[in-house]
Amino acid sequence: MNETTDVVFLSSFWPIFISAIVIGGMIGLLLLLISQNKVEKKAGEKVETMGHVWDDNLEEYNNPLPRWWLWMFYGTLAFGVVYLILYPGLGTNKGVFGWSSHGQWDKEQQVAEQTYGPIFNGYLKQPVAVVAQDPKAQKMGERLFLTYCAQCHGSDARGAKGFPNLRDKDWLWGGAPETIEATILHGRPAAGPDGVQPVSDAPRMPAWGKILGEEKVKDVANYVRSLSQPGKVDQDRATRGKEVYAQNCAACHGADAKGNQALGAPNLSDDVWLYGGSQSTVVETVTNGRNGVMPAKGQELGAAKVHLLAAYVYGLSK
């Protein structure tokens, strides 16, 4: 595809091939109709059957095609010819109108921008926290959220495994209005520039399996879980895991395990888990790491729509 999403053929053979199939198919149908139009039934003539019988008494007779059906099919073919003259359908031929789906989309976008652009831009001049208190703006933000964000965070914004709950007050990168807006605008990769321009070059959650080994991974997993689920862990492993944590994990998650929003390192002392807090899941996380990415939406939506989205998300946790 090129920039206008029009089809680009790498060989001149394919436009000719497609056109030949289209034109040949229409000519073939026309000849078939003409041949069937010659079949006539004379008065009093007995119509022979085609030899096809169903349920012992239902037979197929060789009657001429109904005139109304023939003329309807002729009309369909005529419509097809007119369509191929006016619109694209024969290889690279763009038709008299030069129509394309991308061109149609552009026109609709221009109309939408003229209609709704001034409204969006009016909110853009207001702080996110102020927009979050406007019921009309929240309704607009909700519709944007359902269109662009619900696929990952859910229609109720409560998230899923690997996708944060946006209704609580637990924030990986911070819940200040400007921080939320920056997250939506620029994305939050867990691994630096993986096709997105990050707002932070914070490292991903690395895989510690090969570095620590299986036993130490289990120890540190038990320690981490003991911070919020003390009755559900192996206390001996948790005791050993505390030292492993201090040596390898505290740099990002903090000595108190309360996390670091500047790095996107989650709070490990509460009972909020992005990927799950079971023993097996925490072991998996420590062993293999986590590489989730929040994609940047700034280029796709523009600053004004992102501003409304940020206000909506900010308002969910208030």
Side-chain angles (χ1 to χ4, degrees):
M1 296 291 182
N2 61 14
E3 292 182 356
T4 61
T5 71
D6 293 329
V7 175
V8 176
F9 292 98
L10 301 180
S11 169
S12 59
F13 165 77
W14 293 109
I16 298 173
F17 178 73
I18 292 172
S19 299
I21 290 178
V22 174
I23 295 173
M26 296 182 73
I27 292 175
L29 288 172
L30 179 62
L31 293 177
L32 176 63
L33 288 175
I34 293 174
S35 68
Q36 294 302 306
N37 194 26
K38 293 180 180 179
V39 178
E40 296 182 358
K41 176 186 174 184
K42 298 179 181 179
E45 180 183 357
K46 182 180 179 182
V47 179
E48 300 294 330
T49 67
M50 301 295 293
H52 303 148
V53 181
W54 295 270
D55 295 334
D56 296 329
N57 56 6
L58 183 61
E59 296 181 277
E60 179 184 2
Y61 285 85
N62 189 23
N63 281 306
L65 293 172
R67 293 300 174 204
W68 66 266
W69 190 92
L70 280 170
W71 285 112
M72 184 179 69
F73 215 131
Y74 281 132
T76 302
L77 288 174
F79 174 85
V81 172
V82 173
Y83 180 92
L84 291 174
I85 293 173
L86 300 179
Y87 294 96
L90 295 175
T92 55
N93 177 51
K94 295 183 178 181
V96 174
F97 291 158
W99 182 92
S100 71
S101 58
H102 191 277
Q104 180 71 26
W105 184 82
D106 279 340
K107 291 178 181 178
E108 292 176 359
Q109 287 293 102
Q110 291 172 7
V111 172
E113 181 62 29
Q114 293 172 359
T115 304
Y116 303 109
I119 300 174
F120 291 151
N121 291 328
Y123 287 117
L124 184 59
K125 298 174 184 178
Q126 304 175 31
V128 170
V130 174
V131 179
Q133 298 175 7
D134 186 319
K136 183 179 178 181
Q138 284 298 86
K139 285 292 184 182
M140 295 171 68
E142 181 181 22
R143 287 192 288 270
L144 289 170
F145 181 89
L146 292 173
T147 302
Y148 299 104
C149 313
Q151 294 87 343
C152 294
H153 294 281
S155 58
D156 59 357
R158 296 190 182 280
K161 183 177 180 180
F163 303 101
N165 181 352
L166 303 179
R167 286 187 175 272
D168 59 17
K169 296 183 181 298
D170 189 84
W171 297 92
L172 278 174
W173 299 91
E178 61 276 5
T179 305
I180 296 174
E181 187 166 17
T183 295
I184 301 173
L185 273 172
H186 306 294
R188 292 292 186 179
D194 285 346
V196 227
Q197 180 60 42
V199 293
S200 169
D201 292 323
R204 65 182 66 178
M205 165 64 192
W208 288 95
K210 293 182 179 179
I211 299 172
L212 299 179
E214 184 178 348
E215 293 306 312
K216 286 187 177 181
V217 166
K218 291 181 180 178
D219 290 343
V220 76
N222 273 274
Y223 170 68
V224 169
R225 293 182 70 240
S226 74
L227 300 176
S228 60
Q229 307 172 51
K232 300 180 180 180
V233 300
D234 183 324
Q235 290 298 333
D236 291 335
R237 282 193 178 276
T239 300
R240 295 194 299 269
K242 183 176 182 180
E243 183 178 350
V244 178
Y245 176 90
Q247 293 173 351
N248 300 279
C249 313
C252 291
H253 294 281
D256 57 0
K258 292 191 179 298
N260 186 339
Q261 292 181 344
L263 299 176
N267 182 354
L268 303 178
S269 64
D270 58 17
D271 200 18
V272 178
W273 301 91
L274 184 56
Y275 291 93
S278 67
Q279 175 70 14
S280 60
T281 303
V282 177
V283 167
E284 179 188 356
T285 297
V286 179
T287 301
N288 301 318
R290 295 294 183 182
N291 305 317
V293 174
M294 160 66 192
K297 293 291 185 179
Q299 185 173 0
E300 177 184 358
L301 299 180
K305 290 182 181 178
V306 167
H307 196 71
L308 274 170
L309 260 177
Y312 174 71
V313 172
Y314 177 72
L316 292 177
S317 62
K318 295 294 114 182

